[in-house]
Amino acid sequence: MSHPHPDLGTPPPLAEGALRVTPLGGLGEIGRNMTVFEYGGRLLIVDCGVLFPEEQQPGVDLILPDFTSIRDRLDKIDGIVLTHGHEDHIGAVPYLLREKPDIPLIGSKLTLALIEAKLTEHRIRPYTLEVKEGERERIGAFDCEFIAVNHSIPDALAVAIRTPAGMVVATGDFKMDQLPLDKRLTDLPTFARLGEEGIDLLLVDSTNAEVPGFIAPERDIGPVLQQVFDRADKRIIVASFASHVHRIQQVLDTAHEFGRKVAFVGRSMVRNMGIARDLGYLKVPGGLVVDVKTLDDLPDEDVVLICTGSQGEPMAALSRMANRDHQIRIVEGDTVILASSLIPGNENAVYRVINGLTRWGADVVHKGNAKVHVSGHASAGELLYFFNICKPRNLMPVHGEWRHLRAVSELGQKTGISKDHIVIAEDGVVIDLVNGSAKIVGKVQAGYVYVDGLSVGDISEGSLKDRRILGEEGIISVFLVVDSNTGKITAGPNIQARGSGIDDDAFGPAIAKMQDALSRSAQDGVIEPRQVQQLVRRVLGKWVSDTYRRRPMILPVVVEV
């Protein structure tokens, strides 16, 4: 059973005794994870994350799920279950709680600590319920059991949601590292028990479904870090996600072994590592971590900096270092380690940063030339093993692009799950679980909601198109004064071009064409300013296109006298 179906309409009212599943993000994309479960008129949300913008979304800071389909039912939400503390799973929570601050948040200790720190910045004090693996909680209409899973951040949880309509298991992000640094394994015995009980619908992490075999253990990175540290003569700068506690723990351990001091750079990195240390998830030897302001007093060979920016984010510390826009200046002989994977869509931005760092003389170590990253997501071998344990009646791949979702479908079929019982959907598609069968029944609004500074949802696709045109083709403004009675030009047209690559003095032929067209239109009685603007835009646009093969934004300003 697959989508897209172009004729999907508004879903019917939920049948009595049925469970409705509506993903509002995370399908066909890596990020923005959010799924709404509905039973008996009550709602349970699993995760509420953000997506980070790509190059074709200029000026956008974050992309949120669309809350339109639940906005008039916020009082029906029994809680938001957060599977773990990554931004693509918790980053949109503040924006939902702005609309109703008392929606309960349910998650593990570290996950709640990270979201509470984020909510403090938004001046929201949430209602929280801390849960642990092995615990079972009644959250309104939903009976939830929490299961330990291994991921690239501590304290990650899967959740089994029981209702009279059946049991749904949402894995969240997970892998099966058999030698985890924190000795916290993915709880396969519990998944096997749930499989024996009967999993009616399994929502499974799809990100690495195309990768064969099993993911290497996190601890394999330790020896590689030691080799890099051993050959580094000057400063070492490590870029990582601000929540990747296990990776940063290995960097701290290696720095301590080599007698170097460590400083955290970047607000989110300082905040999150402080939380992880205070809660005992990050073990920091005494005297190892110092304030970044003290680094000038230390020799370069004694310094390690840990910062954000491993995805090429333009405002993150590493990008600013590459652009010479940061207090920390990259110099010849520095070593930079990008200790993370490339999120799809970020490749160009990351390689731009790598080139910038290399330009200033840094030795850049990344996944392409050294094993400084292992994934946090189960690969194909692990997923096959997992499906055989869980034996779900229905399978729904989530958290992945289309190629990942399709790959999960193929893996599921190999383990005996019928193609008719595999739901490949996209954001907004509504799935009802009735009598053990999962079926697509309609679609709700689930587009991108853009955050631009303090503006939320005010930026449209049309606005982004205008920004792309401005960035790629420039703008030409035309100023003219017309007689309000006759429509004849009394001053102008005056033309200014910015970013178009066309010199202002080159518009003589275009001005003559506009004057001729406007004179003829005035004779025909076309004197309405809006019509005059359209005529100017059409005549000038055609001239620029014919002469330069360019399509800049044309902004006519018509003043009547």
Side-chain angles (χ1 to χ4, degrees):
M1 183 193 311
S2 65
H3 190 75
H5 298 300
D7 55 349
L8 278 180
T10 303
L14 182 60
E16 186 175 351
L19 176 68
R20 177 160 288 176
V21 183
T22 307
L24 296 182
L27 300 187
E29 60 198 4
I30 305 292
R32 214 169 61 112
N33 298 283
M34 181 178 181
T35 307
V36 180
F37 297 87
E38 178 180 356
Y39 181 82
R42 304 299 299 180
L43 306 178
L44 179 74
I45 295 173
V46 174
D47 290 328
C48 188
V50 297
L51 180 67
F52 293 102
E54 298 181 10
E55 288 183 343
Q56 66 268 28
Q57 293 151 337
V60 174
D61 299 319
L62 298 170
I63 305 171
L64 309 178
D66 190 337
F67 304 141
T68 301
S69 63
I70 61 172
R71 185 162 279 122
D72 60 351
R73 298 187 292 164
L74 297 180
D75 59 334
K76 306 293 186 183
I77 300 174
D78 289 328
I80 303 173
V81 173
L82 302 173
T83 58
H84 63 283
H86 281 153
E87 285 294 302
D88 61 334
H89 291 258
I90 69 171
V93 170
Y95 298 93
L96 183 55
L97 292 196
R98 281 184 188 181
E99 303 193 26
K100 194 173 190 300
D102 61 349
I103 300 174
L105 304 179
I106 302 98
S108 63
K109 180 187 289 186
L110 179 62
T111 304
L112 290 180
L114 293 174
I115 188 59
E116 284 172 344
K118 181 179 292 292
L119 288 168
T120 298
E121 297 178 359
H122 291 259
R123 300 180 181 177
I124 297 173
R125 296 188 63 180
Y127 291 83
T128 60
L129 172 63
E130 183 183 319
V131 294
K132 297 178 181 177
E133 58 264 28
E135 293 184 349
R136 192 164 166 175
E137 293 283 350
R138 186 82 188 182
I139 303 171
F142 305 88
D143 180 358
C144 297
E145 181 176 352
F146 299 93
I147 310 124
V149 291
N150 181 254
H151 186 41
S152 56
I153 185 173
D155 252 8
L157 296 169
V159 57
I161 304 168
R162 293 178 174 87
T163 71
M167 175 166 56
V168 178
V169 172
T171 65
D173 293 358
F174 85 108
K175 62 177 177 177
M176 296 186 192
D177 189 339
Q178 298 303 300
L179 299 168
L181 292 176
D182 59 2
K183 298 181 171 54
R184 187 175 179 271
L185 294 163
T186 292
D187 190 354
L188 297 179
T190 292
F191 283 112
R193 172 175 58 79
L194 295 174
E196 292 300 322
E197 182 180 334
I199 297 173
D200 295 290
L201 178 61
L202 176 64
L203 275 60
V204 66
D205 176 8
S206 308
T207 306
N208 271 344
E210 292 184 310
V211 179
F214 286 68
I215 294 299
E218 175 74 25
R219 65 177 64 239
D220 282 4
I221 292 173
V224 180
L225 289 175
Q226 289 177 331
Q227 293 173 12
V228 175
F229 271 63
D230 188 50
R231 70 170 188 255
D233 296 325
K234 292 189 177 180
R235 296 178 303 180
I236 298 174
I237 300 165
V238 182
S240 175
F241 291 118
S243 53
H244 203 331
V245 177
H246 295 321
R247 187 70 41 81
I248 291 168
Q249 181 69 67
Q250 295 199 85
V251 174
L252 292 179
D253 293 343
T254 309
H256 183 60
E257 179 182 342
F258 280 81
R260 289 177 177 252
K261 299 294 184 182
V262 176
F264 294 118
V265 181
R267 186 168 55 90
S268 59
M269 182 67 73
V270 172
R271 180 191 68 199
N272 288 356
M273 290 308 106
I275 291 170
R277 181 191 59 225
D278 293 344
L279 295 179
Y281 294 96
L282 190 69
K283 305 294 190 296
V284 183
L288 176 66
V289 174
V290 298
D291 192 287
V292 69
K293 296 175 183 176
T294 67
L295 294 182
D296 290 340
D297 300 328
L298 295 172
D300 286 351
E301 62 270 20
D302 291 345
V303 170
V304 176
L305 296 159
I306 302 179
C307 67
T308 55
S310 60
Q311 297 303 309
E313 306 95 311
M315 295 308 294
L318 193 66
S319 296
R320 292 171 57 202
M321 292 178 200
N323 294 330
R324 277 290 199 263
D325 184 29
H326 196 279
Q327 64 187 27
I328 296 166
R329 313 281 283 185
I330 299 294
V331 298
E332 186 82 30
D334 284 343
T335 299
V336 179
I337 304 173
L338 272 66
S340 66
S341 64
L342 281 177
I343 293 177
N346 292 350
E347 293 89 349
N348 289 340
V350 171
Y351 285 117
R352 191 179 303 116
V353 169
I354 291 174
N355 283 322
L357 296 167
T358 306
R359 175 188 179 191
W360 305 119
D363 175 19
V364 183
V365 181
H366 54 88
K367 188 182 178 183
N369 58 25
K371 190 174 180 179
V372 288
H373 173 74
V374 296
S375 179
H377 304 270
S379 58
E382 293 162 83
L383 290 173
L384 288 171
Y385 191 81
F386 189 68
F387 295 157
N388 285 328
I389 287 175
C390 293
K391 297 176 287 190
R393 295 188 179 99
N394 299 277
L395 176 65
M396 181 175 166
V398 297
H399 197 285
E401 298 179 340
W402 275 101
R403 57 196 173 97
H404 305 129
L405 306 184
R406 295 287 186 189
V408 165
S409 173
E410 293 172 7
L411 292 173
Q413 291 175 59
K414 288 180 179 178
T415 63
I417 303 172
S418 167
K419 186 176 182 180
D420 293 338
H421 290 265
I422 299 175
V423 181
I424 298 182
E426 62 183 352
D427 296 340
V429 168
V430 179
I431 300 98
D432 283 359
L433 181 64
V434 183
N435 298 324
S437 179
K439 296 191 180 300
I440 291 174
V441 297
K443 189 173 183 180
V444 299
Q445 182 175 323
Y448 283 179
V449 176
Y450 298 108
V451 178
D452 182 358
L454 297 178
S455 167
V456 180
D458 296 332
I459 304 300
S460 66
E461 291 294 341
S463 301
L464 290 181
K465 182 180 178 181
D466 288 346
R467 290 181 179 184
R468 288 193 292 270
I469 292 172
L470 285 169
E472 295 167 4
E473 303 284 356
I475 183 172
I476 299 174
S477 58
V478 185
F479 180 86
L480 66 158
V481 180
V482 298
D483 187 303
S484 59
N485 294 316
T486 65
K488 292 183 177 180
I489 301 174
T490 61
N494 293 325
I495 297 180
Q496 285 190 331
R498 294 290 182 270
S500 66
I502 306 171
D503 191 270
D504 290 351
D505 296 334
F507 287 100
I511 290 173
K513 285 181 177 289
M514 282 188 288
Q515 288 172 332
D516 182 54
L518 289 167
S519 176
R520 282 187 276 110
S521 69
Q523 292 175 6
D524 294 337
V526 179
I527 60 175
E528 166 68 32
R530 182 177 177 83
Q531 294 174 307
V532 174
Q533 288 177 335
Q534 290 174 338
L535 180 61
V536 168
R537 188 179 289 114
R538 185 168 62 250
V539 172
L540 181 56
K542 185 178 187 308
W543 180 83
V544 172
S545 178
D546 291 345
T547 308
Y548 292 97
R549 295 291 187 268
R550 295 177 191 166
R551 298 177 61 86
M553 180 176 289
I554 296 174
L555 185 63
V557 179
V558 177
V559 177
E560 288 186 298
V561 295

